[in-house]
Amino acid sequence: MRGGDHQLHDDNGPLRDEDAPPSGPRWKPITLIAFRFGTCYFGSFGLVLAVGLVPVVLTGFGFDSPWSAMLGMLRATRPPVAWAGEHLLGLRVESTQVGSDSAFQWSALFCVAATAALATALWTALDRQRRRYDRFQAWVWTLLRLVLATAMFYFGMAKVVPTQMPFVLNRLVEPYGNFSPEGVLWAQVGVSQPYEIVLGAAAEVLGGLLLLSSRTAPAGALVSVVDLAQVFLLNMTYDIRLKTVSSQLLLMSLFLFAPHARRLSAALFTDRPVPAAAPAALFGSRRANRLASVAQICAGLALLAAFGGQGWQQFARPAPELYGIWQVDHFSAEGYQRDPLLTDGLRWRRVVFDRPFHVSDPVMVTVQHMDDSFEVFGGTIDPRHHIIDLGHRIELGTYVETPARIRLTYWWPRPGSMVIDGEDYVGHRVHIWFDRMDPSAFPLVERGFNWVQEHPYNR
């Protein structure tokens, strides 16, 4: 698809786009159809994506998020989406699962694609005489690149402020074989905050910033294509639950870069000179176009700040009371000492107090049992009264929460040791003595960085 619509003026002012004579050859039929379908499909997807990010933006600016309204919208759209998924795709759409890669989301994308195909057919039938869409393409590209920039900022700032893949203490004591492929990737990135920050800044945030200006938008689209291709590959090969989102963002970036692909190919692989592009402007006056450019940049920077603020609220939270890894030294139930047998399903091996996955939880408590199974709780710690309240269990890998309502008390017999008592832990009265472990003693944390290495250190 090629632009090239120069602004035309008469004595009475700028000509309207539909009144201006054609500035180039007629687009090929396949180009016209592709543009119409892409406009309908990515326009619909972009609208849904923008609405879904509204709560995150409001949180970043310090406002309450309208999650209840969002859930109401999802409930309203569920019946037709569920019908399409169950009768046309053979998927079982669960009422509670609407996130990425869920049957609901795949079914919703199918509905969007089917609707876009019907709209494209109708548009083509009603507008068969149209030669090209120079001015309209400029508007479509402007809106879509702002949507793509918003998504790049969202995922990029989650790495620049390292909250997407945080360093989690319980990974230090969990057997590697228990990790899911996604857990391996998350742990690998999370253990090196500098890498995660550079990854977000040099790829996703940079791509988003370049997309804000029409002059640099082709470079931004290219950066986005490269980054999102890598993200999509990771999602596919590590079975990460972001395949729907990453695939659609990759296709959108390809759609935006398509008009520039031929010029880039000529510049890289031929000796022919490549003339400057002459895309159509949004308005008929230079002042209006300059104001539009400034407005786009300001809106993008505001979104970047909002996503950064939302991430900082989570990242800057202080470490919870009792933060660290605690090794069980003695464990008794109903007053009887329990030996550290690997077959004992009640006895604890370690407990980890860490920053939570969710902002609503002041602390995340991970209990490692003797058989290396894990229980993860969200809860609160009252340092004044030495009380630990475990409000709900968090299923690892799914983050499904179930009520727990377990109350424990703690005290310190000596520095570096802690005692926890519970009157009703899964029906047992427990008394547990702990010694604090030093997380920096693990090679994964202790190793650090070395310019000079006489021998490899690959453990």
Side-chain angles (χ1 to χ4, degrees), residues 104-125:
F104 175 88
Q105 194 161 109
W106 284 115
S107 301
L109 285 177
F110 173 80
C111 292
V112 171
T115 303
L118 292 174
T120 300
L122 181 61
W123 185 356
T124 302

Side-chain angles (χ1 to χ4, degrees), residues 170-185 187 349-350 366-375 396-397:
N170 60 26
R171 293 305 200 187
L172 293 175
V173 296
E174 184 173 1
Y176 187 78
N178 287 356
F179 284 37
S180 67
E182 179 178 346
V184 170
L185 180 63
R349 184 176 182 179
R350 299 184 185 94
T366 303
V367 175
Q368 182 181 17
H369 292 280
M370 292 302 301
D371 61 356
D372 282 334
S373 63
F374 285 78
E375 282 187 293
L396 279 177

Side-chain angles (χ1 to χ4, degrees), residues 4-301:
D5 179 27
H6 295 284
Q7 299 302 309
L8 300 175
H9 293 73
D10 61 14
D11 294 338
N12 297 319
L15 291 174
R16 295 177 300 171
D17 184 65
E18 60 268 24
D19 295 332
S23 59
R26 182 186 181 95
W27 287 357
K28 296 178 180 179
I30 187 64
T31 303
L32 288 167
I33 293 174
F35 173 77
R36 291 163 184 159
F37 178 80
T39 299
C40 296
Y41 181 77
F42 292 115
S44 302
F45 173 78
L47 177 62
V48 173
L49 181 66
V51 171
L53 289 176
V54 166
V56 182
V57 174
L58 293 178
T59 300
F61 285 126
F63 297 100
D64 293 333
S65 299
W67 288 113
S68 57
M70 299 294 296
L71 292 175
M73 294 174 60
L74 287 173
R75 282 192 293 267
T77 59
R78 185 185 177 280
V81 171
W83 185 93
E86 293 171 3
H87 292 84
L88 301 179
L89 301 178
L91 300 176
R92 182 176 178 270
V93 180
E94 299 183 11
S95 59
T96 58
Q97 299 298 323
V98 296
S100 183
D101 291 359
S102 63
F104 175 88
Q105 194 161 109
W106 284 115
S107 301
L109 285 177
F110 173 80
C111 292
V112 171
T115 303
L118 292 174
T120 300
L122 181 61
W123 185 356
T124 302
L126 296 177
D127 200 18
R128 287 176 293 181
Q129 302 305 316
R130 175 72 65 172
R131 295 173 55 88
R132 50 196 296 131
Y133 292 97
D134 293 305
R135 180 66 60 82
F136 185 54
Q137 181 193 12
W139 278 97
V140 171
W141 255 239
T142 298
L143 295 175
L144 290 186
R145 61 184 172 83
L146 290 178
V147 169
L148 182 59
T150 301
M152 298 294 283
F153 287 155
Y154 173 70
F155 289 106
M157 290 307 294
K159 298 180 181 68
V160 172
V161 183
T163 55
Q164 183 182 8
M165 303 173 182
F167 175 70
V168 182
L169 280 180
N170 60 26
R171 293 305 200 187
L172 293 175
V173 296
E174 184 173 1
Y176 187 78
N178 287 356
F179 284 37
S180 67
E182 179 178 346
V184 170
L185 180 63
W186 251 236
Q188 176 259 320
V189 177
V191 76
S192 176
Q193 282 192 356
Y195 173 75
E196 184 175 0
I197 293 170
V198 172
L199 184 66
E204 292 161 343
V205 172
L206 175 61
L209 289 172
L210 292 172
L211 285 166
L212 296 180
S213 171
S214 59
R215 289 183 178 273
T216 57
L222 180 59
V223 170
S224 299
V225 167
V226 174
D227 175 71
L228 290 169
Q230 161 74 354
V231 171
F232 179 65
L233 179 62
L234 290 173
N235 292 342
M236 294 294 290
T237 54
Y238 283 84
D239 193 30
I240 297 171
R241 190 171 173 253
L242 283 171
K243 304 176 194 69
T244 51
V245 174
S246 61
S247 62
Q248 302 312 299
L249 292 176
L250 175 59
L251 292 174
M252 183 184 291
S253 62
L254 288 168
F255 184 64
L256 290 173
F257 183 70
H260 312 282
R262 181 176 298 178
R263 298 179 63 251
L264 179 63
S265 177
L268 293 176
F269 303 113
T270 72
D271 294 329
R272 298 193 305 268
V274 180
L282 297 178
F283 300 101
S285 71
R286 291 184 177 180
R287 181 180 180 184
N289 287 315
R290 283 197 296 267
L291 290 175
S293 297
V294 172
Q296 294 167 45
I297 294 173
C298 290
L301 294 178

